[in-house]
Amino acid sequence: HITNYTDAALQIRRAAFFLCPHDTIAIMGKRTSLEQKRTQKWQQFLLRTGQILQRSEEAVATAMSQPLQQSLRINSLVVDPSSITPQLQQLGYTEVGWMPHQTGWLRPTVITEEVRQFEDLQAVSGACYVQNASSWLPPLFLQPKPGERVLDMCAAPGGKTSHLAALSDNAAHITANDNSRHRLFKLTQNLRRLGVTNTECTLRDMTKPPREEMIEQYDAILLDAPCSGEGLLQTTQPKSIDTWSVAHIRRLAHTQKLLLSTAWSQLRVGGRLVYSTCTMAPEENELVLHHFLRKHSDATLIAPPFVPPELQTHSLSTWNTITIAPTILGHTLRIPPQPRYEAFFVAVLQKSS
């Protein structure tokens, strides 16, 4: 007698085993093989990342198992941050001192129903945006100014674009680009909700050379490059490693070099460019800059305008057989994984004549 859908599904699975035992064993074998492959990937990742960060595999595993404490950016285009500061404090948010005008807050360690309701209400109105605090650094380092032409090359879903708009009080002329029609639709929706009025959204493949009329058109460019996202991996979520591989990192590094070259051709003399990723792989960070600087004598690395005082940072002097130039070591920001900050890499470049 079958009492419900679960019983029915169970009987079908049992029947499948007796009718097709070889198929069932094959499925179980594939599952075991997948788990073994996942374990091997984690071992490779932890060993490699330990070499990058100069830590033991155990220390890396511990760091990658800590849940990230997300943060809340108050959107000054929609609300005066001071008007909701008392409510934020009452709910247990902690102000991030290096964010301007009370716009950055660490979320409470325990997310209560009251906190969820507050964030849902503010998000619908566009008054706030949940991000990791590391993501605030690239727009802050770019320092967009009113009247400037600004390009966000890989803009979806729009968190950093809206931050650029807020930092310039909706007075910079921003082009927000993505190469996916689906992501571009989400980007457009988010920017509308967040009160961004000064932005044109475009659909372009930025790995290809720009049209002639786009050469040297922008005063400031943000290239938050597509990357392997190692900063988002968590050992408590074993499946998060599935898309990771060294081969994938190398493919992404090739794409990042193309994107950086395209960005540079669109930057005006005297303009500045921020390159950032949320990964620890040197191939996607220092080595992309190493390759770029060898080809562009008109590029100069500029030290970040500030470094959050509580932030742990790390520098990498060599990787494999390559010695990383001291200018890259001294003028870039490499953030290892830590509770309040996901792993990130940020560099600021300026174009000379």
Side-chain angles (χ1 to χ4, degrees), residues 256-257 260-261 264 273 275 285-302 323-332 345 347-352:
Q256 290 153 356
K257 290 170 184 174
L260 189 51
S261 178
W264 201 247
L273 183 151
Y275 176 82
N285 296 325
E286 289 91 349
L287 299 192
V288 168
L289 291 177
H290 179 84
H291 175 269
F292 176 78
L293 291 169
R294 287 174 60 190
K295 291 194 167 190
H296 295 274
S297 59
D298 57 349
T300 304
L301 272 170
I302 302 172
T323 299
I324 295 165
T327 52
I328 295 176
L329 292 179
H331 293 84
T332 57
F345 180 86
V348 185
L349 292 153
Q350 188 162 36
K351 191 173 190 177
S352 60

Side-chain angles (χ1 to χ4, degrees), residues 72 75 78 116-130 189-195:
L72 195 72
N75 181 17
V78 171
R116 291 187 192 281
Q117 289 177 0
F118 168 79
E119 288 187 357
D120 288 346
L121 181 65
Q122 300 300 327
V124 168
S125 69
C128 76
Y129 197 91
V130 175
Q189 286 185 315
N190 280 336
L191 295 183
R192 188 180 299 119
R193 177 176 57 82
L194 294 165

Side-chain angles (χ1 to χ4, degrees), residues 37-45 241-244:
K37 185 176 181 182
R38 195 172 282 155
T39 300
Q40 290 169 355
K41 277 193 169 190
W42 273 115
Q43 290 172 342
Q44 183 184 13
F45 169 76
I241 199 71
D242 285 357
T243 59
W244 180 91

Side-chain angles (χ1 to χ4, degrees), residues 7-265:
D7 288 343
L10 182 59
Q11 289 196 22
I12 290 169
R13 285 199 295 271
R14 285 171 178 166
F17 178 79
F18 289 111
L19 290 172
C20 313
H22 296 295
D23 291 344
T24 305
I25 291 168
I27 292 170
M28 292 173 65
K30 286 181 181 178
R31 186 175 301 162
T32 302
S33 176
L34 177 60
E35 290 172 354
Q36 289 174 342
K37 185 176 181 182
R38 195 172 282 155
T39 300
Q40 290 169 355
K41 277 193 169 190
W42 273 115
Q43 290 172 342
Q44 183 184 13
F45 169 76
L46 294 174
L47 174 63
R48 176 185 154 91
T49 304
Q51 293 169 346
I52 295 168
L53 301 180
Q54 298 172 359
R55 299 181 186 177
S56 68
E57 293 175 54
E58 292 76 15
V60 175
T62 300
M64 302 301 291
S65 68
Q66 302 298 319
L68 283 171
Q69 185 180 2
Q70 296 292 8
S71 302
L72 195 72
R73 179 172 61 81
I74 306 305
N75 181 17
S76 58
L77 297 177
V78 171
V79 66
D80 179 356
S82 64
S83 68
I84 60 173
T85 292
Q87 191 174 4
L88 288 164
Q89 292 171 333
Q90 184 181 358
L91 289 170
Y93 290 83
T94 306
E95 186 178 355
V96 178
W98 49 266
M99 277 286 278
H101 312 304
Q102 298 180 307
T103 55
W105 296 80
L106 285 172
R107 297 172 85 201
T109 306
V110 178
I111 306 299
T112 63
E113 186 58 31
E114 190 178 8
V115 168
R116 291 187 192 281
Q117 289 177 0
F118 168 79
E119 288 187 357
D120 288 346
L121 181 65
Q122 300 300 327
V124 168
S125 69
C128 76
Y129 197 91
V130 175
Q131 284 176 298
N132 186 266
S134 292
S135 294
W136 298 339
L137 294 171
L140 288 171
F141 287 5
L142 192 64
Q143 300 176 320
K145 298 176 179 62
E148 286 189 324
R149 293 196 66 184
V150 179
L151 171 63
D152 188 352
M153 285 187 68
C154 308
K160 293 182 181 68
T161 309
S162 62
H163 196 179
L164 293 169
L167 289 169
S168 59
D169 292 323
N170 257 341
H173 307 289
I174 300 175
T175 299
N177 181 78
D178 207 88
N179 67 347
S180 161
R181 193 174 299 276
H182 175 68
R183 288 198 302 267
L184 193 71
F185 178 71
K186 286 188 175 181
L187 169 66
T188 305
Q189 286 185 315
N190 280 336
L191 295 183
R192 188 180 299 119
R193 177 176 57 82
L194 294 165
V196 177
T197 59
N198 59 334
T199 299
E200 175 190 9
C201 294
T202 60
L203 180 69
R204 287 177 52 200
D205 178 0
M206 289 285 188
T207 62
K208 298 178 180 177
R211 299 188 302 272
E212 186 175 349
E213 64 268 22
M214 302 306 297
I215 301 296
E216 296 191 348
Q217 285 298 301
Y218 295 100
D219 303 291
I221 296 177
L222 173 60
L223 173 51
D224 188 47
C227 68
S228 55
E230 291 177 335
L232 303 174
L233 299 180
Q234 291 219 290
T235 55
T236 53
Q237 300 173 18
K239 292 182 181 179
S240 63
I241 199 71
D242 285 357
T243 59
W244 180 91
S245 72
V246 175
H248 185 47
I249 286 170
R250 288 171 181 155
R251 287 192 294 271
L252 285 164
H254 175 69
T255 299
Q256 290 153 356
K257 290 170 184 174
L258 293 175
L259 289 169
L260 189 51
S261 178
T262 300
W264 201 247
S265 67

